Amino acid sequence: MKKKQFKAESKKLLDLMINSIYTNKEIFLRELISNASDAIDKLYYRSLTDKKVKIDREDFQIEIAIDKDNKTLTISDNGCGMTEEELENNLGTIARSGSLDFKENLKKEDAINIIGQFGVGFYSAFMVSDTITVTSRSIDSKDAFTWESSGADGYSIEKSERDSVGTTITLKIKEDTEEEKYSEYLDTNNIERIVKKYSDYIRYPIKMEVEHVHTKDDKEEVHKEVETLNSMIPLWKKEKKEIKEEEYQNFYHEKFFDYEDAMKTIHTSVEGNVSYTALLYIPSHAPYDFYTKEYEKGLELYSNGVLIMEKCADLLPDYFSFVKGLVDSSDLSLNISREMLQHDRQLQLIAKNIEKKVKKELETMLEEKREDYEKFFKAFGMQLKFGIYNQFGIHKDVLQDLMIFYSSKREKMITFKEYIDDMLEGQDKIYYAAGESIDKINLLPQVEKVKEKGYEILYLTDYTDEFVIQTLMNYDGKEFMNVSSESLDLDTEEEKESIKKENESNKTLLTSMKDALKEKVTDVRFTNRLKNHPVCLTTEGPVSMEMEKIMSAMPTEEKIKANAIMEINDSHPIAKKLKSLYKENPEEVSKYAQILYAQARLIEGLTLDNPAEISSLIVDMMAK
Ligand code: ADP
């Protein structure tokens, strides 16, 4: 019989499985049971629409059998089964792969992450078995087929026999090694424990023959009995106090394909105008596709324990799209269509409640577990920020108190409220500075003086941040003010008066500098705003230098330009030099203007249009 080779990615995943990088091997059983349960679901749904498919719900079951002599573990189901083609397609490739892109020399952690992201699936059975045999008969076929593989060297498929529709998977369990006792997977008690741990809520009975040893008249009697191992009660329908955190997390891992624990579990039951139970999770990291178009938000929707929709998007606002979980309500009709759901009042009520609940939980985390919240914010803060400036800010009131930004003073993340509570006497503005990183903002000339005056500055390091601030406009009546804005007004009346005079008396010097820079700046001035730095750029109007930088990196034709003003530190020796130079050799001033402007741009992290020209200007000056 001809051996077929696995597809390239499948082979790599297989290698990972066979070499057992995953320490938690017992989860293979959860994966196989979950596949069996899905297959039964499929057959059930099929029977709803296809009159020819006759089933009795009572018959559905998953069976586990252990054969100690032959060292096999068998899992069978009476679900939809697979055709020959399906065996080929489903088991010869990784089903969930999608855009899965395996790097050549995959590191161990990366591999675990990939496996976690995509769910370990059927192949995980190779962690514990030498050979896997799958015999399946599809609801759409009269014949059964057997797929078999011992791993890396490929698989075979041939025609075989099966009395009824369904799938039987037989695992030839590996021999024990020093590190790993594989024979545990042939132990009834252990299998029972694993099923209870991961698959207790599966809605179909998972049956296994269990041995009970009785002593009667000093003789041991072995009593064999088929038992149902799982309670079949969905986790969310159990009493909260009866559920261990571990169970919540196990459920989360399996259902939402995350290898990390969720950061927060929210289990809530509401009785009233609308009754429902919700089990929600806030993940601890963003899924790999979270910030792409492919990501679909939504919660599973159940009507009294029966799944009616896999991803109900209407239950979550876009800004909370990271929430995973499910809602179960007996108020929703089983036969409700997607279109009707959108207008369903009950559903809208539930959605409103869920939004409030999630917000409240996040606020509590922000208050009581700041470290967790910071981690959350790193992962999903961007989504909350989009939420603020999307749709012209209609949701800003919901979200503004969930924002945190780095504070220059406290050197950690703070909320707007915390900023306001600690403002200086007479301070009426919230100061902020934007840049690529905290270190880079710390080096901005404009920041120095504001800090020296004792003001706290919020550092904006995400490209979305300034849009957020501009959408908010103010917080609690306090206006936001960019420290690089031309309208930043920190001087005393006296200082203002003296710098005004200074600028007036040097008008011709400043005008000739501005003329030298042409349309690059709208003005050149002396300033008090700088402490040690010689020069900086400030901006007039809504577009800051940082925004210009972000916009020019975007792939649009139209480039938006900030209205830049070059400000020269009046107390820096360069100011004096310029004034005297202008008297002696006014021609030279334009070269100084070019170099100072270039310096100001470099400090802002902006590029130069004419680096060669600037370089030769500097060298000429050095050579003098
Ligand atoms: P996943 O379940 O995530 O899609 P798996 O690798 O576990 O990935 O399984 C691949 C596919 O094989 C499934 O999507 C399903 O179509 C099919 N499959 C696996 N087990 C069974 C089963 N017991 N009955 C029917 N189909 C199955």
Side-chain angles (χ1 to χ4, degrees):
M1 186 180 22
K2 198 171 166 290
K3 272 257 153 66
K4 301 189 184 189
Q5 293 304 309
F6 287 101
K7 301 252 163 63
E9 306 102 355
S10 310
K11 193 162 163 8
K12 280 183 193 157
L13 184 57
L14 210 66
D15 286 342
L16 293 172
M17 286 299 168
I18 294 165
N19 297 320
S20 303
I21 46 133
Y22 213 69
T23 44
N24 195 17
K25 295 192 171 56
E26 65 188 24
I27 51 102
F28 81 90
L29 190 58
R30 164 190 90 184
E31 299 294 320
L32 297 185
I33 290 175
S34 163
N35 282 347
S37 166
D38 290 347
I40 297 176
D41 277 344
K42 274 185 209 154
L43 185 59
Y44 173 64
Y45 286 124
R46 180 74 182 272
S47 75
L48 296 179
T49 52
D50 189 342
K51 291 243 156 55
K52 287 193 292 278
V53 176
K54 291 202 175 43
I55 50 107
D56 186 349
R57 284 207 70 163
E58 298 295 306
D59 293 341
F60 283 140
Q61 64 170 32
I62 298 163
E63 257 181 86
I64 299 180
I66 292 171
D67 180 340
K68 282 200 169 127
D69 298 335
N70 291 313
K71 297 204 168 131
T72 61
L73 178 68
T74 303
I75 295 105
S76 345
D77 64 70
N78 47 8
C80 62
M82 283 177 272
T83 59
E84 179 178 15
E85 209 182 357
E86 283 168 335
L87 279 170
E88 170 93 46
N89 292 335
N90 295 341
L91 306 185
T93 24
I94 313 166
R96 227 185 264 120
S97 75
S99 60
L100 189 58
D101 174 26
F102 276 104
K103 296 192 199 76
E104 263 318 308
N105 296 308
L106 208 61
K107 283 205 298 280
K108 190 167 155 178
E109 310 87 73
D110 291 345
I112 292 178
N113 284 359
I114 288 176
I115 291 168
Q117 301 245 351
F118 294 93
V120 277
F122 169 78
Y123 285 178
S124 61
F126 278 111
M127 294 194 292
V128 300
S129 22
D130 291 324
T131 303
I132 303 178
T133 311
V134 181
T135 297
S136 193
R137 190 175 132 195
S138 161
I139 181 74
D140 296 312
S141 159
K142 277 197 289 300
D143 299 319
F145 290 88
T146 293
W147 177 100
E148 190 170 274
S149 169
S150 306
D153 61 337
Y155 61 93
S156 61
I157 296 180
E158 60 180 11
K159 207 163 160 227
S160 66
E161 297 289 319
R162 200 178 191 282
D163 290 344
S164 53
V165 170
T167 303
T168 301
I169 299 179
T170 303
L171 312 179
K172 177 97 171 77
I173 299 295
K174 289 186 187 182
E175 293 293 333
D176 284 351
T177 63
E178 258 169 42
E179 296 100 55
E180 199 75 38
K181 272 199 79 188
Y182 293 102
S183 53
E184 280 179 3
Y185 303 117
L186 297 167
D187 176 67
T188 351
N189 289 330
N190 191 40
I191 293 295
E192 190 172 350
R193 177 191 64 82
I194 299 172
V195 170
K196 283 222 167 75
K197 182 168 172 189
Y198 298 104
S199 312
D200 189 61
Y201 59 88
I202 291 285
R203 283 184 296 124
Y204 307 103
I206 303 168
K207 294 186 174 170
M208 182 170 72
E209 189 172 75
V210 188
E211 289 183 356
H212 293 285
V213 185
H214 301 275
T215 339
K216 203 176 167 192
D217 307 330
D218 279 346
K219 263 198 280 174
E220 277 196 351
E221 270 184 17
V222 181
H223 208 74
K224 289 187 179 172
E225 205 174 0
V226 175
E227 277 185 10
T228 299
L229 307 179
N230 53 331
S231 76
M232 292 185 271
I233 302 172
L235 184 67
W236 64 92
K237 288 214 167 177
K238 290 189 189 168
E239 285 283 334
K240 240 170 121 166
K241 56 178 186 298
E242 279 169 21
I243 308 173
K244 291 195 219 88
E245 180 58 21
E246 196 194 3
E247 279 179 87
Y248 279 129
Q249 295 293 357
N250 279 337
F251 183 80
Y252 171 72
H253 292 293
E254 192 209 349
K255 201 134 190 123
F256 303 107
F257 311 120
D258 193 352
Y259 54 95
E260 266 183 52
D261 279 358
M263 174 158 268
K264 176 102 206 141
T265 305
I266 307 167
H267 187 187
T268 165
S269 285
V270 174
E271 306 269 334
N273 278 347
V274 55
S275 303
Y276 65 90
T277 298
L279 177 54
L280 310 172
Y281 294 93
I282 297 175
S284 54
H285 64 122
Y288 72 103
D289 62 348
F290 185 67
Y291 289 107
T292 69
K293 278 208 185 74
E294 272 71 61
Y295 183 83
E296 275 179 75
K297 65 165 182 170
L299 300 176
E300 285 189 349
L301 188 59
Y302 290 80
S303 161
N304 242 340
V306 180
L307 185 67
I308 51 178
M309 202 193 267
E310 270 190 297
K311 269 209 172 141
C312 182
D314 296 321
L315 281 169
L316 287 176
D318 280 341
Y319 42 86
F320 290 158
S321 60
F322 47 83
V323 175
K324 302 271 182 196
L326 56 91
V327 169
D328 191 346
S329 170
S330 43
D331 294 344
L332 295 169
S333 148
L334 244 180
N335 301 317
I336 194 161
S337 73
R338 264 157 216 252
E339 293 69 38
M340 274 159 69
L341 260 177
Q342 267 181 359
H343 306 288
D344 190 84
R345 238 184 59 80
Q346 311 278 11
L347 194 84
Q348 287 170 1
L349 268 176
I350 298 176
K352 263 271 143 288
N353 280 349
I354 284 179
E355 172 177 345
K356 274 198 218 126
K357 182 78 185 168
V358 171
K359 185 181 173 209
K360 212 165 136 257
E361 291 289 339
L362 288 174
E363 282 168 346
T364 310
M365 199 199 295
L366 180 62
E367 282 287 305
E368 293 168 6
K369 291 197 164 165
R370 186 57 68 97
E371 227 173 87
D372 279 2
Y373 192 80
E374 282 182 21
K375 190 172 176 209
F376 157 79
F377 199 76
K378 255 203 193 106
F380 301 112
M382 190 75 95
Q383 190 65 13
L384 300 180
K385 289 171 186 174
F386 290 144
I388 287 187
Y389 68 75
N390 275 349
Q391 296 173 282
F392 310 103
I394 57 170
H395 301 296
K396 66 182 184 188
D397 291 341
V398 184
L399 299 170
Q400 60 184 4
D401 286 317
L402 294 174
M403 291 291 117
I404 47 174
F405 290 105
Y406 182 86
S407 147
S408 60
K409 226 183 213 174
R410 291 175 242 196
E411 300 188 340
K412 60 175 191 180
M413 305 292 276
I414 63 164
T415 62
F416 295 137
K417 172 114 199 334
E418 286 161 348
Y419 184 100
I420 299 269
D421 288 347
D422 210 24
M423 288 207 325
L424 298 187
E425 190 75 19
Q427 182 183 349
D428 62 352
K429 297 208 168 56
I430 301 174
Y431 296 107
Y432 70 89
E436 253 168 63
S437 66
I438 289 166
D439 288 346
K440 285 201 173 155
I441 300 178
N442 264 329
L443 294 174
L444 281 182
Q446 297 89 326
V447 161
E448 217 174 15
K449 196 72 176 264
V450 183
K451 268 195 194 164
E452 196 190 48
K453 298 224 168 195
Y455 295 118
E456 186 164 31
I457 307 173
L458 297 177
Y459 285 7
L460 315 188
T461 50
D462 270 346
Y463 75 93
T464 43
D465 290 350
E466 280 196 272
F467 300 97
V468 169
I469 297 295
Q470 292 204 352
T471 307
L472 293 176
M473 288 189 290
N474 55 59
Y475 178 85
D476 200 16
K478 309 283 187 296
E479 200 190 322
F480 289 102
M481 174 62 71
N482 191 334
V483 299
S484 300
S485 163
E486 167 277 336
S487 50
L488 178 83
D489 179 15
L490 296 176
D491 292 350
T492 61
E493 288 308 314
E494 244 168 89
E495 286 169 328
K496 273 190 233 171
E497 199 49 40
S498 89
I499 199 77
K500 198 170 151 208
K501 278 209 190 109
E502 193 63 27
N503 278 321
E504 272 163 15
S505 58
N506 288 293
K507 203 165 168 77
T508 50
L509 159 67
L510 295 166
T511 311
S512 79
M513 288 180 80
K514 181 191 169 305
D515 291 345
L517 293 171
K518 303 214 180 74
E519 75 288 355
K520 289 179 182 140
V521 295
T522 52
D523 205 2
V524 177
R525 299 173 193 158
F526 287 115
T527 185
N528 282 330
R529 78 161 74 223
L530 298 172
K531 195 174 158 224
N532 297 314
H533 285 275
V535 65
C536 74
L537 293 174
T538 60
T539 49
E540 238 172 355
V543 184
S544 69
M545 291 316 279
E546 189 58 22
M547 283 167 98
E548 175 182 319
K549 196 164 76 188
I550 289 159
M551 310 268 226
S552 63
M554 289 181 180
T556 48
E557 280 294 308
E558 226 173 306
K559 296 294 174 213
I560 294 173
K561 272 213 130 1
N563 268 338
I565 297 163
M566 181 159 90
E567 301 203 24
I568 300 160
N569 187 350
D570 195 43
S571 45
H572 193 282
I574 191 68
K576 225 169 159 188
K577 170 85 191 190
L578 284 168
K579 289 170 205 169
S580 61
L581 186 70
Y582 187 62
K583 286 199 191 97
E584 296 149 18
N585 195 353
E587 244 77 297
E588 278 291 289
V589 161
S590 80
K591 291 183 190 162
Y592 278 64
Q594 299 288 358
I595 295 174
L596 283 170
Y597 175 76
Q599 283 181 322
R601 283 189 70 89
L602 291 174
I603 294 171
E604 291 277 347
L606 297 162
T607 54
L608 303 180
D609 297 336
N610 52 348
E613 201 181 316
I614 296 297
S615 163
S616 60
L617 278 175
I618 294 173
V619 167
D620 286 352
M621 229 174 253
M622 288 164 88
K624 252 184 216 162

